[in-house]
Each structure stands twice: as C-alpha cells, then as structure tokens.
Amino acid sequence: MSQISVRQEILALKAYVPGLSIAEIQQKYNLAQVIKMASNENPLGMPPLAREAVQRHADMGFRYPQGGNPRLVEALAKRHGLDPRRVVVGNGSDEIIDLLIRILAEPGVHNLVCFEPCFSIYPIQGRISGVEVRRHPLNADFSFDFDGLLSKVDANTRLVFITTPDNPTGYCPPRDEVAQLAAKLAQIAPACLLVIDEAYMDFAESEPDSSLLASGELPENTAFMRTFSKSFGLAGMRVGYGILPPSLADYCWRARLPFSVNILAEEAALAALEDTTFYSFTMQTVRQGRNALTVGLTALGCNVWPSAANFILFSLPENTLSAHDCFETLLRKGIIIRPLNSYNLPGHLRVSIGNEAENRTFLLAMDEILLQNRHAEASAANRECK
Ligand SMILES: *Cc1c(COP(=O)(O)O)cnc(C)c1O
C-alpha cells in the first residue's frame, strides 16, 4: 500500500448498493432473457422522441454543452409555472442532493436529519461530506413521524430530508402534513433547509393532493427534487433537477461542475418533456401494473404495503422461505428485484412495476416459488410424522 492518506470518513464508507444489472445476471446464471424490476426504471423504456433527439444530436458529442443548460432550465420552469431562477439541473437529482449538503453543512460541525430507512444517498453523501447523520425511525406501518423527525433537529441541523412518495416504502403523506412540517421547521431551525424529494410524485394517485410543489405554495425553507430517471424514462442519461429558493439556486450554480448535464442528456430531457404520449402511457401502465401486482401478491399471501410510487414493498407469507432466498430464486429464473438489506429491511422486498408481460412473468414465478416451498414444507412435515 502506498503512503497516500485517505480521509477518515472515506475509510469507513459503505458504498451505495445499486440494483443488479441484466448483464451480470445473464452471465452468472447463463440465461438468455432477464427481466429487471430492481431500480424503478420506466417499464416502457426510453421515450421515442428522446431516442430520436439523441440520434439527431449524436454528432454534437464533440461540443461542450451550453453553460448552465438554459434551454432545459427554461422548459422546466415553464412546466412547473415557476421562475427559472429557482431551477438547477444536475447529473441526476443525486448531484443536486450532494451539492446541497456540501453547500449548506460545515464538515464536523453541522448535521443532517432523515428517516431510517430512507433513500440511501442522503446518509451516504452526508458521511462523505463529514456531516453527522441523524436518523429517526419510520412508524411501524412505515408512515412518517414528523414530530419525531423534528425532535432530532437542533441549532446545528442544516438539512432535513424526506422522500414523498417514499423509497423504499411507497408511503405518501398528505400535502398538508408536509406543509406543516416545513412551517414547524422554519420555527425551530430557521437556518435549516427542508429537502422534499419528489422523485416518484408523478405516480401518486392524485398529484395535487400530495405534492407541495404542484400546489404552487413553496415555503421559503424548502427545496424540491425531481428527476428524469423514473417517469420520463431517462435513468441512464442522468438528468435530475431541483426547485430551490432563488438565492440557494444561485449558489448551486456557482458550486456545480460546469458541464455535469451533457449535451445528449439535455436534448433527451427536452424531448422527453415534449413526449406527452409516452408520459401518459407510462402513468397508465404504472397505475395498472401497481394494481395488478398488489392484487396478485396479496392473493399469494404476501403482505403488500400501499404504494404511491412505481414500485411496491412487500413481505412473504409466514412459514415460507426467507426474503433473501426468494430474491435468489427469482434471480435464477431471470428476474431481478431488490432485496432491502442495505435499507436495514432484510425481511422485505421491493419490486418495480414492470410492463404487463413482466408483471405476469414475475407473479407466475412467485406463485411457483411459494407453491414449491409449501410442497417442500409439507413433505418435511410428513417425514417428521412418520
Ligand atoms: C431514483 C431516485 C432519485 C433519482 O435519482 P437520479 O440521480 O435523478 O437518477 C432521487 N431520489 C430518490 C428517492 C430516488 O429513488
């Protein structure tokens, strides 16, 4: 080992655990076809207009993008009916989350507050920045205890993170409760930013009832995160954005790497915003699929949590195989879902809503797995009797 010295926070770091890739599983189990329902990507693929835009602009790959991505900023401001000075685009909303932590929290001094479990980027990027991470548990039914969350806030708290609808649980609190959280936080910690991550908000049953951003009432202490990775079908292009108080947006632009949203990603995002046919079909597919998976898994005896997102959280019936074994068995059948060990929920599984055929294949596989397991249990019990 060389003499190069690594910061303390990095030595102790556990990396983000992504969903497995299709190529990995094809190779490992020698499978011709693999279905991925692990990372909440769009089940319909890439929007056709975005694919065309990427092809059309492919030969611009040698150019730097326009600094500040003004066309995309303008289009997003228009979409949300807001001042463009509020909008910051990034290499996925992950980049904006990371930026906000680095801009607002002094290493070794300040802290951030989030739920346990929650989207793992908040605590990971917090630790990388040398910022104390304080967690408050979700309620037993995975709803949010906002007063409990606020009890972790003190004069050194600079960010509070919530995800609504939540990942990995699918829970979506009513808009009024979120507005109250923002108001209470402003009272007890005026220097603290509330980050409301609405990555899955488009999928909520009623966006106006659930989204503070859609309501147009933007509290002064609040930032909203949105992404092109889910409803817009561009996870691999890496585009997300924040809607921030204008002064904070200005600091983000100063601190952001100048070209983090590349020229093809910007064109793809602009085209995806125009592809309303794709977007509507996505909404329809996800809502129908969410119902089908909820009904199907419930019929198999699984416990399914209500979800406002494009995935569902479930646990297996009692006295059957473990969540881990179920995940592994599905892999061998060419279906990737998400185990939740890295979220500290080893007994639960998360499955992204697929297209109609994928959902059917997944439910059939689950039926087989649970049935086989019942047979195995029954014959074991028989043997014990004899
Ligand atoms: C998927 C996801 C994001 C989006 O990440 P990108 O970097 O934009 O791909 C943000 N927050 C949560 C909670 C997510 O699940």
Side-chain angles (χ1 to χ4, degrees), residues 39-40 91-95 97 119 122 163 165 167 197 199-200 226-230 235 238-240 350:
S39 302
N40 307 336
N91 193 265
S93 49
D94 291 353
E95 183 185 19
I97 292 165
F119 183 50
Y122 321 140
T163 316
N167 178 10
D197 188 340
Y200 300 98
R226 292 271 180 135
T227 179
F228 282 86
S229 297
K230 317 296 172 23
R238 312 300 306 125
V239 195
R350 191 190 72 192

Side-chain angles (χ1 to χ4, degrees), residues 82-99:
L82 294 167
D83 186 336
R85 281 172 301 184
R86 284 183 172 278
V87 182
V88 178
V89 300
N91 193 265
S93 49
D94 291 353
E95 183 185 19
I96 319 269
I97 292 165
D98 179 54
L99 259 182

Side-chain angles (χ1 to χ4, degrees), residues 1 5 134 139 155 216 292 310 318 327 342 348 372:
M1 189 53 192
S5 157
R134 299 183 175 181
N139 292 326
N310 67 340
E318 269 174 44
F327 164 71
S342 64
H348 293 70
Q372 253 164 28

Side-chain angles (χ1 to χ4, degrees), residues 220-238:
E220 279 176 20
N221 62 342
T222 299
F224 297 89
M225 299 296 121
R226 292 271 180 135
T227 179
F228 282 86
S229 297
K230 317 296 172 23
S231 51
F232 288 106
L234 296 179
M237 303 298 295
R238 312 300 306 125

Side-chain angles (χ1 to χ4, degrees), residues 114-137:
C114 56
F115 281 119
E116 163 83 68
C118 74
F119 183 50
S120 50
I121 294 290
Y122 321 140
I124 292 175
Q125 298 316 118
R127 280 185 208 110
I128 292 173
S129 288
V131 172
E132 183 200 347
V133 177
R134 299 183 175 181
R135 326 253 339 228
H136 187 75

